[in-house]
Amino acid sequence: MIELYSWTTPNGHKIHIMLEETGLPYRVHKINLGAKEQTRPEYLKINPNGKIPAIVDTDGPDGKPLAIFESAAILVHLAQKSGMFLPAEPRARYATLEWLMFQIANIGPMYGQAFHFRSVAPERVPYAIDRYTNEVGRLLGVVDKRLAEHPYLAGGEYTIADIACWPWVRNSHSFGFNMENYPNVQRWVSAIAERPAVRRGLKALEKAAA
């Protein structure tokens, strides 16, 4: 059983989708960020960084419980545990890890800062809004060019790279971009949105006990 600690953010949705795609059994524990539940001592024992998501795999590699935080580390663990979405062939594997790390280093931080300064910052800071919105646009261009050459980010197959990036990129229009300028991103977003496991993953927290 995978004990999942999460909330309805892009980083959370990555893991929700991965669990639904792999079919691994999991139990949901909501960590309400608005109520600052991520700062509770019992949760900090699982994730000392006080963020979501985190998991406890009750059947770790040595048969003992294994706690993992950071969404990319969780994705790699679940991929290796299930044998799915992380290719064994070296070139495809490294391409997958490249685009997974691209999300960690670029898409997540830049989309997150753009959202913060555009939507929730206590004061409008035009320089910050422009800086991060422009960087989101640049990253969209990188992704669109890649997807012009391949159906998925790592190449010909759907992998944890797509699972990591999609929850962030799917709402790029909310930053003011005309997505018709990114036709390959549009195609990829739509194709992944049609996957039954993705649809279930977006509703995963509904499984949590009241």
Side-chain angles (χ1 to χ4, degrees):
M1 177 65 68
I2 305 294
E3 303 290 349
L4 168 67
Y5 299 83
S6 192
W7 194 239
T8 54
T9 69
N11 280 333
H13 284 317
K14 297 176 196 177
I15 309 307
H16 312 163
I17 289 168
M18 183 65 173
L19 286 165
E20 288 292 339
E21 289 280 16
T22 60
L24 292 168
Y26 70 98
R27 181 164 41 226
V28 179
H29 306 270
K30 291 181 181 178
I31 302 297
N32 188 325
L33 301 184
K36 298 192 181 300
E37 292 179 355
Q38 72 275 21
T39 65
R40 293 179 176 177
E42 59 269 28
Y43 182 67
L44 292 175
K45 291 179 181 178
I46 300 168
N47 184 350
N49 194 35
K51 303 287 185 179
I52 63 95
I55 67 167
V56 176
D57 184 345
T58 60
D59 181 25
D62 55 1
K64 299 177 182 178
L66 174 65
I68 306 176
F69 68 97
E70 291 298 334
S71 59
I74 297 169
L75 286 174
V76 171
H77 172 71
L78 296 177
Q80 293 184 159
K81 186 178 183 74
S82 65
M84 301 171 71
F85 307 120
L86 180 57
E89 191 279 319
R91 289 184 181 274
R93 188 178 186 88
Y94 282 116
T96 301
L97 293 175
E98 279 181 334
W99 288 95
L100 174 62
M101 293 178 188
F102 172 80
Q103 188 278 308
I104 301 164
N106 296 279
I107 287 180
M110 296 300 105
Y111 273 67
Q113 292 295 336
F115 172 76
H116 175 81
F117 284 106
R118 291 174 64 93
S119 303
V120 300
E123 61 180 286
R124 292 192 65 79
V125 183
Y127 172 78
I129 293 170
D130 291 345
R131 171 179 169 79
Y132 291 113
T133 302
N134 290 340
E135 185 63 5
V136 167
R138 187 189 73 81
L139 294 171
L140 270 175
V142 172
V143 174
D144 195 72
K145 182 177 180 181
R146 175 67 176 179
L147 293 172
E149 300 166 351
H150 303 279
Y152 297 102
L153 287 171
E157 61 181 286
Y158 177 72
T159 68
I160 56 173
D162 303 289
I163 292 171
C165 292
W166 184 84
W168 290 97
V169 175
R170 71 187 181 112
N171 289 322
S172 296
H173 61 277
S174 67
F175 296 100
F177 294 102
N178 180 355
M179 296 308 296
E180 292 183 1
N181 294 328
Y182 306 95
N184 304 297
V185 171
Q186 279 192 305
R187 183 267 306 163
W188 172 82
V189 166
S190 296
I192 292 175
E194 291 300 313
R195 296 178 68 92
V198 172
R199 293 181 177 181
R200 294 194 303 271
L202 295 176
K203 298 179 179 180
L205 263 65
E206 295 177 4
K207 295 182 178 181

